[in-house]
Amino acid sequence: MSRLKAEHLYKVFGRRPEAAVRRLEDGASRDELRADGTTAAVIDASFEVEAGQIFVVMGLSGSGKSTLLRMLNGLLEPTSGSVLYDGRDLTGLSPAELRDVRSHNISMVFQHFALFPHRSVLENAAYGLEVRGVPRAERLERAAEALELAGLKGWESSWPDELSGGMQQRVGLARALATDADLLLMDESFSALDPLIRRDMQDQLLDLQKRLKKTIVFITHDLNEAMRLGDRIAVMRDGRIVQNGTAEDILVRPANDYVASFIQDVDRSRVLTAGSIMAEQAAGAAPVAVPDGTTTVSAETPVAELFSPFSRSDSPVAVTDESGEVTGVVTRDGLLAALADQPDAEEQDADQPEEVPAPLVPASEPEVITHA
Ligand SMILES: Nc1ncnc2c1ncn2[C@@H]1O[C@H](COP(=O)(O)OP(=O)(O)OP(=O)(O)O)[C@@H](O)[C@H]1O
Ligand SMILES: [Mg+2]
């Protein structure tokens, strides 16, 4: 069973939202509804997130990412559809039951979250536990552990204004980690950070994830960030999920021109793997003997790591499985072709109008947390 499952989720803002959902089901477009002053923020979103996965939702400003995320923890009630957490339908819970799930199982990390200026870093990290009524000694102990996980050991008694933006963001992460919630919902959590610090935070999150195995839904505008972090990536456009796949699926098989237009700026060499670009051994063929000195890599090796062997020699690189058997080879020409290969627009869905995404505008409005 998946940890989190969204089934045909809709969220419509404005008058007569249920009627708007029926119109959408009958094929009305988002623009038609907008003409009536109704905003279809999320339209028919379905997906599953397995325990321990990082599921990234990527899309432009206004595509419905935050609205979707808020339905996942019950901050917003779906107009239609359901959210299942460990098989339990959140939409069917009483307010008290929902509060209980929210306070024990789900934690949210925002882009702009407020640290209390007159409380120490430790007390700030303990805030989520304080709200939950955890006794002081216990919450400070758990907050200290979470700060250590977030790389802030030694800063416990500092004041927030003594910390850089990146470090403050880590306090937000620590606050979520301290609660022990399994499901972390992260809305543009790194978007306000400088590029280098942002990369650092991405590394830290991946590193934490290896140890803690949380289930994470991570929202971003940035496809490179999505591809670095996501076990799966859902691309949203105008309220709909237009593709849901691995980084490699999106890079190699974009669902339409819209998705394809995003991938031009992606560093293909970090997403493609040796296994995805190799020429495979024919099934049933006799095992291949690899000449001495041949470089061997695993199928998961990023293509970026093949540059070095090819800079030393023109010989193909062998791709081997766990038992050391050769499953395919990558040639220098094969590598170059894979890196040059832009998806062919002709092969894409011809019904999709040619469209280039607008510039990515980071959300500037502060997050307001409303407690139900
Ligand atoms: N409370 C609300 N009332 C009315 N419309 C809303 C409300 N919240 C969101 N919307 C609208 O729903 C659409 C989706 O908004 P949402 O905030 O989910 O997008 P987003 O993808 O998170 O954008 P951003 O990247 O800018 O944060 C937008 O058109 C927005 O104006
Ligand atoms: Mg948003």
Side-chain angles (χ1 to χ4, degrees):
M1 181 173 47
S2 45
R3 175 64 31 103
L4 183 69
K5 187 170 180 184
E7 289 181 316
H8 302 290
L9 277 181
Y10 286 80
K11 184 67 190 181
V12 175
F13 296 106
R15 284 183 305 120
R16 309 206 325 120
E18 286 86 6
V21 168
R22 282 193 295 276
R23 288 182 59 196
L24 288 163
E25 285 168 345
D26 289 342
S29 73
R30 202 187 193 215
D31 289 343
E32 284 169 56
L33 296 187
R34 187 166 284 154
D36 303 341
T38 319
T39 303
V42 173
I43 305 171
D44 199 15
S46 298
F47 56 87
E48 292 184 42
V49 185
E50 304 299 324
Q53 264 192 347
I54 303 184
F55 184 83
V56 175
V57 180
M58 205 281 306
L60 296 180
S61 189
S63 58
K65 307 180 296 297
S66 297
T67 305
L68 179 63
L69 199 71
R70 285 171 182 178
M71 288 193 282
L72 298 183
N73 77 343
L75 272 177
L76 273 179
E77 195 187 341
T79 311
S80 175
S82 53
V83 176
L84 302 173
Y85 180 77
D86 281 341
R88 274 170 94 193
D89 187 350
L90 291 188
T91 44
L93 298 184
S94 70
E97 289 170 322
L98 187 58
R99 263 199 304 280
D100 191 58
V101 172
R102 274 229 300 272
S103 66
H104 291 105
N105 306 111
I106 307 179
S107 226
M108 203 140 172
V109 186
F110 294 103
Q111 174 182 5
H112 301 283
F113 71 99
L115 291 181
F116 298 103
H118 302 299
R119 291 185 181 199
S120 68
V121 163
L122 183 63
E123 284 171 331
N124 267 288
Y127 177 71
L129 297 171
E130 187 177 337
V131 175
R132 283 154 212 213
V134 176
R136 184 176 163 82
E138 186 190 338
R139 69 179 187 248
L140 293 185
E141 191 186 324
R142 281 168 59 182
E145 285 168 15
L147 283 169
E148 184 170 357
L149 282 171
L152 285 176
K153 193 172 169 58
W155 293 87
E156 295 84 354
S157 53
S158 304
W159 301 107
D161 68 3
E162 297 174 77
L163 269 54
S164 69
M167 291 161 86
Q168 292 185 21
Q169 200 62 37
R170 284 167 199 257
V171 181
L173 186 59
R175 189 184 276 176
L177 293 175
T179 64
D180 258 356
D182 167 69
L183 179 61
L184 296 187
L185 304 178
M186 305 183 68
D187 193 350
E188 305 269 4
S189 298
F190 304 155
S191 300
L193 304 174
D194 293 336
L196 284 180
I197 296 168
R198 185 166 178 171
R199 258 192 102 86
D200 223 40
M201 286 297 289
Q202 292 165 357
D203 288 340
Q204 179 114 26
L205 183 67
L206 289 170
D207 194 49
L208 271 176
Q209 178 62 359
K210 273 196 210 123
R211 285 182 282 159
L212 302 182
K213 303 254 188 289
K214 302 273 183 186
T215 306
I216 300 176
V217 181
F218 189 101
I219 283 185
T220 182
H221 282 88
D222 183 311
L223 188 56
N224 273 302
E225 182 165 81
M227 293 206 161
R228 280 198 83 198
L229 296 179
D231 294 305
R232 292 194 75 82
I233 301 165
V235 181
M236 283 190 86
R237 179 192 195 183
D238 293 345
R240 293 182 190 273
I241 294 176
V242 293
Q243 184 162 10
N244 176 351
T246 62
E248 195 161 313
D249 287 336
I250 287 176
L251 194 59
V252 180
R253 291 171 291 277
N256 54 38
D257 285 356
Y258 182 75
V259 178
S261 66
F262 279 102
I263 64 184
Q264 283 158 10
D265 295 332
V266 167
D267 182 351
R268 300 171 71 80
S269 72
R270 303 232 156 256
V271 179
L272 293 174
T273 57
S276 71
I277 69 161
M278 70 185 184
E280 272 173 69
Q281 289 305 132
V288 178
V290 179
D292 279 352
T294 303
T295 302
T296 60
V297 298
S298 72
E300 293 77 39
T301 305
V303 158
E305 290 175 26
L306 302 180
F307 297 150
S308 165
F310 282 122
S311 72
R312 292 193 298 266
S313 139
D314 282 342
S315 314
V317 168
V319 182
T320 54
D321 62 15
E322 305 85 65
S323 58
E325 209 130 291
V326 176
T327 54
V329 294
V330 178
T331 61
R332 177 196 282 260
D333 287 350
L335 172 66
L336 292 177
L339 290 177
D341 182 28
Q342 292 297 328
D344 185 352
E346 300 290 307
E347 284 175 27
Q348 308 301 323
D349 185 353
D351 296 335
Q352 289 286 331
E354 183 80 19
E355 208 173 314
V356 176
L360 303 182
V361 188
S364 55
E365 283 164 36
E367 292 287 350
V368 179
I369 310 176
T370 46
H371 290 282

